Structure formats: C-alpha cells, structure tokens
Amino acid sequence: MRRSQRPNTHSVPVRRGPAVAVSLLAVVGLTLTADPAAARGADPDDAPLGGISWRADLATPAADVTNVSRTEGGLRLRDPRPGPASSRSPQGQGTVLLPERVLGRAVDRITPDLEATVPTGAQVAVDVRGRDGLGRWTEWREARDDSPALLPRAVTRVQTRLTLVTAPNGSAPTVSGLRLGAELDDTPVRAEAAEAVTASVYATREGLVGGTTANGHVIVPNDHFVALPSRRGLSPKGSGEYSVRVCGPARCETAPVWDVGPWNTRDDYWNPSSVRESFKDLPQGTPEAQAAYQQGYNGGLDGSGRRVLNPAGIDLADGTFYNIGLNNNGWVTVTYLWTGTGAPTKSFPTWGTAVNIRQQATSASTRVAQLPGPTTVRVQCQVHGQLVEADGHSNDAWSYLPDYGGYISNIFIDVADSWLPGVPNC
C-alpha cells in the first residue's frame, strides 16, 4: 500500500459492508474513543498487555530428569556423588527439565522466585529458554531473583531447567517451589548475528565410557557427542537441539552437545562479551582454558581454581574424536550451529495506533504484543496469511517481527509495496 493511499492515521473510517473481510478494529485494535475503559469493554483485545507469572509444576513427571527424585518436600538429588563426566567436578549434580509453558504474550525478560533449601556451597540454578514464533529455541540463560534472564529475542513459549549441585562436603539442596514472572523488556534491540559462530579451538578426547553426562546420557563405546564448558548450549537428553559442526584433519561431523566441560562450566566463549556469562574481557571465540594455558590468564587457573593443563575448549566423545581424524588431542574448527538463528532483518516504518502483533498471520490468533503508535520495526521474513481490508485497501501479507515474537499485517507497514521488497518468505 502506498503511503499516499493508506488510511488516515488520525481518523480511520472502518467499512462495515460485505466487502470488508476484516474490520480495522479487529485487526489492530485501534482505540476509536478517548475512554480506555470503554475501549476495553468494546473489544477485549484493547486491554493492555503487561507481565505474566505462573507457578512451575514440579510434580508432573518429565522425560528429562537426571539424578533427581521427587519427594513430598520437593526435588532433591538421588545420589550426591560426583558428576557430570567432562567437567570432572567432585560435586554431585542433577537436572530436571520442566514442561514447556505456552504464554499468551511475547516476553524476553524472566525472573524466578525460588523456594529452596540450599546449604552453604551448594547451588540451585534456574535456566530458561524460549521458543519464538518461527519455532526456534533461544540459547539457555540463567535467571536469578536479583538478575533476571534476558533472552536474545522475544518468545511466546518458555521452558525451565533446574540444576541442583551439592556443596563440596556433599550437602545437597532441596527445591520446594518455583514461580516465574515474564515480561517484554523495553531495552534496546539485542540483534543476533545472521551466521553461526565458528572458532578454532583445542579438542580433547572425553572417553569416560560408563560415565554420565550433564544431560543424563550414559556414555557408550564409540559414542558421538561433544561437551562445551557452559550449560547455555546443553541439549536435552537424546536431542540435537544444540549441536556443533566439528571439523578435523579427515572430515567434519555434526554432533549434539550432551555434556558440560572441559575445565569450566560457565564459559560460553562463542558468545560476544556483551552476553558472555563469564570472562567477559576475553575475545569472542577464545575459551578461558586456552587463555589460562597460553597466556597465564586468571593465574593459569580455570573458574574452579584448578591449574589448567591444556587449552581445551571442547571435549569429543570417542566416536566423534576418531571419526574426524584425530589420534591425539589437537586443534579443530567448530561451528556452533544454534548461534545462527539471527537471520538478517530490514527496518520499516509503521503507521497507526494500538497496532496488534499476532502469534500467527491471522487476526484470530493470540495477540502477543502491541505497537502504541507509529514506529520503526525490524522485519525478518513475511508470509501470505489472512486477507486484511481497511478503507477500501486489502493485503494478505504479514511480516514476522523478531523483537515482538509475532506477525504484523503489512497493511500497517508504511511503504509503497504490499509485499515488502528484499524480505524473504518465512
């Protein structure tokens, strides 16, 4: 729709005759009265979108539970003995992956309210991730009551993972309850790289057949998986949701991330300093163990105070290790495949007030966000969806906005063409 042809942004007449497929009020929820209460009464979609909260269901069995038991008092470790395999940690650990939570709005900022008994030196970590309107998972982020998790893009589904870690003396924590609050943060856009991150890192052979990985997998001979020194890229047991492409002297292999290590457990070195969990002064792509071994970084110690004996940034299961052509530990090229989810975007102006963002490309789907007034939005892709008609104009194209986790009708994007130039199909 050309700028000169679009409906007036201050007073929008809505046709109610049979030629109108969807009224403008139904699509964007324009407030045609100065009384907000009256507007809400006329159309529930006019109600403001705020935060949302829920209590996690700790009693429902989940498919992904490792070394954790449910008791009347809550969740606790079954066995406080050491694990997981790659990190060689002397402290016991267990994890529970809670069911995915479907939300009625877009969120990217999540705050936990944890009810737990945590002995001195023990830990309970609350990690969250989200699934956006295109079905992609974000990376995991740890959420604390004093430091909410800020996801890299808006999502409409959230999943929580609890990790219980014993104190050095073996004392174990107990989790009795968890409530989570979520909202759409108003901080500047956190743009993601379009291409997956690739780095050259030192690889070691994990071995440890019979041991248990951080996601509960029991290692078998000739196994195929990798370990990375952060839970942020840890796949649920049996899945490849977070995988790497590792290339050695002979060939490349794509393998899932099923363990945490070597050396560190909070070193997501593939991330830029702005979001890296620890060791933010190191360059992106440089593991802390590598800097400690080669340059004496952190006094030559890892994050747990152990002397670093090699520069390893990845552990390879035996099958992966030998398949890519390694006979001894050595340098490999690794691509962290889940980091390539930030497809290129193009920015466009919008018009209108109280323009609704929908979960799908139809006005009947859930409203997940709203644009209060004219603004500039980042468009990632577009689809043909429900036909929208307003003031004699019609358009069936909808654009996906990654910063809001949903779709906007192209009829409200203030450009000359109905189908946005240079924007791919979703």
Side-chain angles (χ1 to χ4, degrees):
M1 179 184 297
R2 295 186 181 278
R3 182 190 302 262
S4 60
Q5 296 177 329
R6 63 173 169 81
N8 185 280
T9 60
H10 301 291
S11 177
V12 183
V14 179
R15 296 187 178 183
R16 293 181 173 83
V20 180
V22 183
S23 77
L24 187 58
L25 180 62
V27 177
V28 295
L30 287 179
T31 302
L32 302 179
T33 171
D35 182 358
R40 288 195 296 272
D43 186 347
D45 253 0
D46 288 331
L49 282 170
I52 187 171
S53 66
W54 68 95
R55 190 169 186 84
D57 182 3
L58 303 183
T60 301
D64 196 346
V65 179
T66 302
N67 195 30
V68 172
S69 296
R70 289 181 172 84
T71 67
E72 290 185 2
L75 304 176
R76 61 182 302 114
L77 290 177
R78 284 201 307 265
D79 186 348
R81 289 178 295 181
S86 180
S87 65
R88 275 78 165 179
S89 172
Q91 295 171 259
Q93 176 179 305
T95 60
V96 174
L97 186 67
L98 300 181
E100 183 178 344
R101 180 83 181 194
V102 180
L103 307 179
R105 63 205 65 182
V107 302
D108 59 6
R109 183 182 178 92
I110 302 170
T111 305
D113 181 7
L114 181 67
E115 302 167 22
T117 301
V118 186
T120 301
Q123 177 191 7
V124 176
V126 180
D127 296 323
V128 294
R129 65 174 179 172
R131 194 193 294 265
D132 64 17
L134 298 178
R136 309 167 307 171
W137 285 112
T138 69
E139 194 174 60
W140 291 100
R141 291 287 187 269
E142 185 174 356
R144 299 188 296 272
D145 56 0
D146 61 346
S147 182
L150 191 59
L151 300 179
R153 56 186 178 273
V155 301
T156 54
R157 297 167 179 260
V158 171
Q159 189 164 40
T160 306
R161 181 180 64 201
L162 295 173
T163 301
L164 287 66
V165 183
T166 66
N169 64 5
S171 299
T174 300
V175 176
S176 54
L178 174 66
R179 178 172 288 278
L180 298 119
E183 59 186 332
L184 189 62
D185 195 76
D186 58 2
T187 56
V189 172
R190 298 167 301 283
E192 296 178 271
E195 299 296 329
V197 175
T198 297
S200 176
V201 297
Y202 192 78
T204 48
R205 183 177 70 87
E206 179 162 341
L208 304 175
V209 172
T212 302
T213 67
N215 73 353
H217 170 73
V218 177
I219 303 172
V220 299
N222 197 40
D223 221 335
H224 289 259
F225 68 87
V226 306
L228 293 177
S230 169
R231 295 193 309 269
R232 286 186 164 184
L234 181 64
S235 291
K237 184 178 179 180
S239 88
E241 290 171 353
Y242 304 94
S243 295
V244 298
R245 182 168 175 79
V246 55
C247 298
R251 62 185 61 85
C252 299
E253 177 180 315
T254 298
V257 183
W258 284 355
D259 208 356
V260 176
W263 298 112
N264 290 295
T265 59
R266 293 180 178 272
D267 184 21
D268 52 321
Y269 60 81
W270 50 88
N271 279 323
S273 297
S274 58
V275 298
R276 189 168 176 167
E277 185 175 16
S278 303
F279 316 115
K280 292 177 176 289
D281 54 338
L282 290 176
Q284 183 179 10
T286 300
E288 189 276 344
Q290 179 181 329
Y293 183 79
Q294 294 179 336
Q295 304 160 19
Y297 179 84
N298 194 37
L301 308 178
D302 72 357
S304 300
R306 298 177 297 184
R307 178 66 55 184
V308 175
L309 304 179
N310 61 52
I314 188 170
D315 245 354
L316 308 180
D318 287 357
T320 301
F321 185 88
Y322 293 116
N323 182 48
I324 65 171
L326 291 177
N327 291 310
N328 296 299
N329 298 337
W331 295 91
V332 296
T333 300
V334 182
T335 301
Y336 308 84
L337 298 175
W338 68 93
T339 63
T341 56
T345 62
K346 295 191 69 174
S347 296
F348 297 92
T350 68
W351 67 275
T353 58
V355 177
N356 286 328
I357 313 299
R358 300 288 181 175
Q359 196 169 65
Q360 302 296 331
T362 167
S363 63
S365 69
T366 302
R367 179 183 62 143
V368 297
Q370 191 176 76
L371 304 179
T375 187
T376 298
V377 294
R378 294 193 313 139
V379 174
Q380 180 172 316
C381 58
Q382 57 190 335
V383 298
H384 290 288
Q386 180 182 8
L387 179 68
V388 175
E389 294 190 4
D391 199 36
H393 302 282
S394 62
N395 195 345
D396 72 345
W398 292 68
S399 291
Y400 182 74
L401 310 182
D403 299 323
Y404 299 93
Y407 295 81
I408 182 176
S409 168
N410 281 12
I411 207 166
F412 304 109
I413 296 183
D414 199 359
V415 296
D417 301 314
S418 297
W419 187 258
L420 302 183
V423 176
N425 291 333
C426 292

